Amino acid sequence: MSDNPFGFGLPPEEPENGDEGNEKGKGNQGGPANPFGFGAGAGGADNPFAAMFGSLNPNDLGAAFQQLGQMLSYEGGPVNWDMAKQIARQTVAQGTADGTKDESIGPAERAAVEEAVRLADLWLDGVTSLPSGASTAVAWSRAEWVEATQPAWKELVDPVAERVGAAMGGVLPEEMQAMAGPLIGMMRSMGGAMFGQQIGQAVGVLAGEVVGSTDIGLPLGPAGKAALLPLNIETFGKDLGVPKDEVRLYLALREAAHQRLFAHVPWLRSHLFGAVEGYARGIKVDTAKLEDAVGQLDVSNPEQLQEALQQGMFQPEDTPEQKAALARLETALALVEGWVDAVVHEAAKPRLTSADALRETLRRRRATGGPAEQTFATLIGLQLRPRRLRDASRLWASLTDARGVDGRDGLWEHPDMLPTGSDLDDPDGFVHREQLDFSELDKMLGEAASRRDEPKDGPGAKGDDGKGDDSKDDDGK
């Protein structure tokens, strides 16, 4: 079975990741090898619809056919989001591989999260010019995280699913065009349900591992809400040998730093989500494989199309435009994560004895393909390379030393002011590059505007012909 359940292959320069994913997946008994996959689920079933249909014993057949009817009758967008939420909630209810079950958040945990975010914001005030971006601090259960992040997942996934759905409807054999309407509708309904199944299972697995709302460097939760998941924080810090309060506070610093950036850099969210959509537009379809799958489609066997979708028919286009889109997205995410890493380290280093250890733990988590990063990589074929994150963090730290906090954070005023991918290759070159002095230009423009608005009382000021006050007319009268 393919590691890329949407059928996307990774970019050509990193083909070995698929094999590594297969090896890692063999030991995972608590969920699929890849959170978007349809392999053996939490219950060990091989049926890719097992999470939706149960074990398919005779007692479940009625429910199974009912769900199949729901699939075929779906008439919404490219993803059946009702089904996605249902599957995600079911996955959360099953618990994680270590046997941890979701649980409601109690008053003590909510108070602890609120206090951690309050203190984190206080510490961040001294290391960044961006003010607090969190109007509230919330503690979420895993199920609450699923509910709160669904709108953001919809915004991220719909462009990809729309591209795939359009391709599915455009490869019918010519002789079937006259009868294509019902078949295309059925395929779109099935495609929406399949994407819903995949996304739901992925989000459900992810909910068991994320510690906040910004783990993948994108604002998945509502604006202004700094969110932490106490149950997952406890699991994250279990074997670190670090006091629980310090773990919570360090993760609160990261969440609060992300919130500041997304709240006070108004163009950033749309820039990132737009980059995802731009990359999705560059996905091409292997029409030969898709035509073969459609030609052999058996309506009574919905798993057949799912298997076809996993055979690598959807690939990122190897074009200059697509490479540029990938580079823009990869660089933007690296800059966000690098800034957060640098700012949080500056705030935590003097105050938390475990700051260095926690920083390195989180870096290794990203470097080895942490759950959030892997989910995002599977979704759009993007791999965030640890080298980019470390280079970005070093660049932001060097900017702080060279230009101060205001000079560093001022680069977020416009996307054209940010470092580029080549700048991440040479952070010191960017830091020490001569800066344009816009203050002198502003002064010159201001003086020119003042002169323009002043009353013209000099010679020739009142006449358009330059003859002054004594110039009455052409004959001197």
Side-chain angles (χ1 to χ4, degrees):
M1 181 175 288
S2 169
D3 275 278
N4 299 311
F6 281 176
F8 304 141
L10 292 175
E13 61 270 25
E14 295 179 338
E16 70 276 7
N17 288 340
D19 293 335
E20 291 174 4
N22 279 331
E23 290 301 318
K24 291 178 183 178
K26 291 177 182 178
N28 183 0
Q29 300 302 317
N34 189 307
F36 279 86
F38 277 116
D46 291 327
N47 186 335
F49 285 81
M52 187 163 49
F53 290 160
S55 61
L56 288 181
N57 60 48
N59 293 330
D60 294 330
L61 286 177
F65 281 115
Q66 182 179 6
Q67 295 243 21
L68 180 59
Q70 292 174 357
M71 286 175 55
L72 297 178
S73 63
Y74 173 69
E75 297 180 352
V79 178
N80 188 331
W81 286 104
D82 290 336
M83 178 175 289
K85 182 164 69 172
Q86 176 187 352
I87 297 298
R89 294 294 296 264
Q90 290 174 359
T91 304
V92 165
Q94 292 171 1
T96 54
D98 61 1
T100 305
K101 298 285 188 179
D102 193 22
E103 55 187 38
S104 300
I105 304 299
E109 291 171 318
R110 295 189 186 280
V113 166
E114 290 172 0
E115 175 60 20
V117 173
R118 185 198 66 79
L119 186 56
D121 259 335
L122 183 63
W123 290 1
L124 289 172
D125 283 340
V127 297
T128 175
S129 62
L130 300 179
S132 174
S135 56
T136 58
V138 293
W140 283 341
S141 67
R142 294 166 179 172
E144 288 173 321
W145 183 89
V146 168
E147 295 282 349
T149 60
Q150 185 168 356
W153 286 115
K154 182 175 181 179
E155 191 172 348
L156 283 169
V157 175
D158 272 352
V160 181
E162 185 69 46
R163 178 75 179 88
V164 174
M168 289 173 62
V171 298
L172 290 175
E174 192 171 324
E175 59 272 15
M176 296 179 63
Q177 293 297 323
M179 300 182 294
L183 182 57
I184 290 176
M186 180 195 69
M187 289 175 63
R188 286 179 176 169
S189 296
M190 293 180 64
M194 289 172 183
F195 270 106
Q197 165 77 7
Q198 292 172 335
I199 296 299
Q201 195 164 355
V203 170
V205 172
L206 196 56
E209 297 167 319
V210 294
V211 295
S213 71
T214 55
D215 281 34
I216 63 174
L218 291 171
L220 295 179
K225 278 192 176 182
L228 295 175
L229 282 72
L231 181 59
N232 292 354
I233 290 175
E234 184 174 353
T235 301
F236 171 81
K238 180 188 269 187
D239 300 320
L240 297 181
V242 177
K244 182 178 177 179
D245 289 347
E246 287 200 20
V247 174
R248 183 195 301 114
L249 185 50
Y250 192 87
L251 296 175
L253 280 165
R254 288 182 55 83
E255 177 74 10
H258 277 103
Q259 293 293 335
R260 288 182 180 229
L261 199 55
F262 288 115
H264 299 291
V265 182
W267 55 265
L268 183 56
R269 187 184 190 280
S270 59
H271 178 75
L272 288 170
F273 279 66
V276 174
E277 184 174 358
Y279 186 76
R281 283 197 299 267
I283 293 171
K284 65 179 180 181
V285 178
D286 187 333
T287 55
K289 286 185 179 180
L290 189 53
E291 286 175 358
D292 184 63
V294 173
Q296 301 178 26
L297 182 63
D298 180 358
V299 179
S300 65
N301 184 11
E303 298 164 13
Q304 183 185 65
L305 184 56
Q306 168 58 35
E307 292 171 1
L309 291 175
Q310 294 180 338
Q311 299 307 310
M313 64 179 67
F314 305 109
Q315 301 285 345
E317 284 195 86
D318 188 21
T319 63
E321 293 78 13
Q322 184 69 350
K323 289 177 180 178
L326 176 63
R328 283 194 301 271
L329 179 57
E330 190 175 47
T331 299
L333 288 169
L335 289 173
V336 169
E337 288 295 280
W339 184 87
V340 168
D341 180 80
V343 167
V344 167
H345 184 69
E346 189 177 353
K349 177 72 172 173
R351 299 177 174 94
L352 297 179
T353 57
S354 59
D356 287 333
L358 288 168
R359 183 190 202 188
E360 192 58 33
T361 296
L362 284 162
R363 282 182 164 184
R364 287 200 306 268
R365 192 185 193 209
R366 300 301 296 272
T368 56
E373 184 178 320
Q374 282 299 319
T375 297
F376 196 58
T378 302
L379 177 62
I380 62 169
L382 169 71
Q383 286 282 353
L384 286 178
R385 299 173 184 170
R387 179 176 62 85
R388 299 285 82 185
L389 297 176
R390 290 178 184 271
D391 285 347
S393 180
R394 183 161 67 92
L395 185 148
W396 290 117
S398 298
L399 280 169
T400 307
D401 294 336
R403 304 183 188 180
V405 168
D406 291 342
R408 176 200 67 200
D409 294 346
L411 293 177
W412 289 105
E413 290 181 2
H414 193 277
D416 291 343
M417 298 175 65
L418 288 177
T420 63
S422 59
D423 292 325
L424 292 182
D425 294 328
D426 181 22
D428 293 333
F430 179 84
V431 170
H432 299 295
R433 185 180 302 160
E434 183 177 351
Q435 295 177 261
L436 294 175
D437 189 352
F438 289 103
S439 62
E440 286 299 319
L441 179 60
D442 289 341
K443 181 179 179 182
M444 292 171 59
L445 292 174
E447 290 175 350
S450 297
R451 287 195 299 270
R452 183 190 62 202
D453 295 335
E454 287 176 356
K456 295 181 176 63
D457 53 3
K462 294 184 180 180
D464 292 338
D465 56 5
K467 296 180 180 180
D469 290 341
D470 294 331
S471 178
K472 303 296 182 181
D473 51 32
D474 289 341
D475 58 5
K477 294 182 181 180

